[in-house]
Amino acid sequence: MKVFGITHRGGRDKNEDHILIKKIGDIYLLAVADGLGGHNAGDIASKIAIEELEKFFEKNCYKSLLYEEIETILKEAFKKVHNAILNQSYGDREEMGTTLTSVVIKDNKAIIANCGDSRAYIIRDGKIIFKTKDHTYVQELIDKGYLSEEEAMYHPYKHVLKHALGIDFAVDIYKKELKSGDILLLSSDGLHDYVREKEILEVINKYEEPKDIVENLLKIALKKTMDNVSIIVFKVK
């Protein structure tokens, strides 16, 4: 399996994103966290999220885990992250929060957890076959048929979150089978809110190596956004 990730401050003075790529025993743990720019200490919140997630899995993955056990651990990890952020939300850090999207891969199966509007995608045979659903006001408008996904990219409230860790807890869990050649893409909204899915797929279909995919997606994103950008690409052998 091949994997590569990068996080970049984009046009901002500070990078409030953090990423994680970690092999623990027989699993891979991937994550993207995007601290909330409209709240205090977003960079601290996203750092706490990644550190707590990593520590929780290192502590609980001391043996080969069943698929069902991983799902339980992932849910517990998100709750622990939420509480850890709340416990440090005081003074300058009051009301800090972060998105968190994480994927655990074991035996060509993926368990995906999401809170906020960072995303995970599965691309197979050049097409997006799955993506997480954003916890946003605009996503609700899409679900109700009031907006198309294309229109949502330009909506003035596209960054208004309904849920974020440290602010308002929620977690969606998805379980997916993976096939040889599948691409897992994790990104903060600095990529997917500005780069169309058609452009993302063009890059994925052009390059074989995760490093090349990530670096070329980043180049495109930096031409379009002033936001922080984080991207992880995992390719299943």
Side-chain angles (χ1 to χ4, degrees), residues 31-44:
V32 168
D34 178 0
L36 303 190
H39 293 266
N40 294 329
D43 57 324
I44 296 173

Side-chain angles (χ1 to χ4, degrees), residues 18-64:
H18 283 83
I19 66 171
L20 174 65
I21 300 171
K22 183 86 173 185
K23 192 174 189 300
I24 305 173
D26 61 351
I27 70 166
Y28 273 91
L29 175 63
L30 315 175
V32 168
D34 178 0
L36 303 190
H39 293 266
N40 294 329
D43 57 324
I44 296 173
S46 63
K47 183 180 180 183
I48 291 171
I50 293 300
E51 289 177 347
E52 290 294 331
L53 179 71
E54 182 177 6
K55 284 192 295 185
F56 196 80
F57 267 85
E58 286 179 335
K59 179 180 179 181
N60 289 279
C61 293
Y62 54 87
K63 60 182 178 63
S64 183

Side-chain angles (χ1 to χ4, degrees), residues 55-99:
K55 284 192 295 185
F56 196 80
F57 267 85
E58 286 179 335
K59 179 180 179 181
N60 289 279
C61 293
Y62 54 87
K63 60 182 178 63
S64 183
L65 296 170
L66 299 175
Y67 197 56
E68 296 76 14
E69 292 177 307
I70 294 173
E71 179 181 354
T72 300
I73 289 172
L74 196 48
K75 288 179 181 178
E76 290 175 353
F78 268 59
K79 191 65 178 178
K80 187 172 180 61
V81 167
H82 177 67
N83 290 332
I85 294 170
L86 284 176
N87 289 339
Q88 296 191 43
S89 295
Y90 53 84
D92 292 343
R93 302 178 183 180
E94 189 173 358
E95 295 187 346
M96 67 179 176
T98 186
T99 72

Side-chain angles (χ1 to χ4, degrees), residues 151-234:
E151 290 169 333
M153 291 185 73
Y154 304 100
H155 197 281
Y157 298 139
K158 68 179 180 179
H159 296 301
V160 178
L161 295 180
K162 292 196 67 184
H163 301 290
L165 299 182
I167 303 293
D168 187 0
F169 180 80
V171 59
D172 292 335
I173 301 290
Y174 308 86
K175 294 181 282 186
K176 299 293 176 181
E177 297 280 345
L178 301 175
K179 294 184 178 181
S180 178
D182 282 357
I183 296 286
L184 272 162
L185 167 67
L186 278 70
S187 58
S188 62
D189 61 354
L191 176 73
H192 54 255
D193 270 5
Y194 300 91
V195 181
R196 289 181 174 85
E197 290 180 355
K198 179 183 177 182
E199 294 176 279
I200 291 172
L201 289 174
E202 285 174 353
V203 172
I204 288 172
N205 293 331
K206 183 176 181 179
Y207 298 97
E208 288 288 329
E209 296 297 321
K211 184 174 186 292
D212 294 331
I213 294 171
V214 169
E215 290 178 345
N216 281 279
L217 286 175
L218 179 63
K219 286 180 185 177
I220 295 172
L222 293 178
K223 293 176 182 177
K224 296 173 177 281
T225 179
M226 293 294 289
D227 202 352
N228 306 147
V229 184
S230 292
I231 308 166
I232 297 174
V233 168
F234 181 99

Side-chain angles (χ1 to χ4, degrees), residues 1 26 67 104-111 124 176-182 184 234-237:
M1 295 185 182
D26 61 351
Y67 197 56
V104 178
I105 301 139
K106 176 182 168 71
D107 299 332
N108 281 10
K109 294 180 180 179
I111 301 179
R124 179 177 296 160
K176 299 293 176 181
E177 297 280 345
L178 301 175
K179 294 184 178 181
S180 178
D182 282 357
L184 272 162
F234 181 99
K235 188 170 186 178
V236 182
K237 283 188 177 179

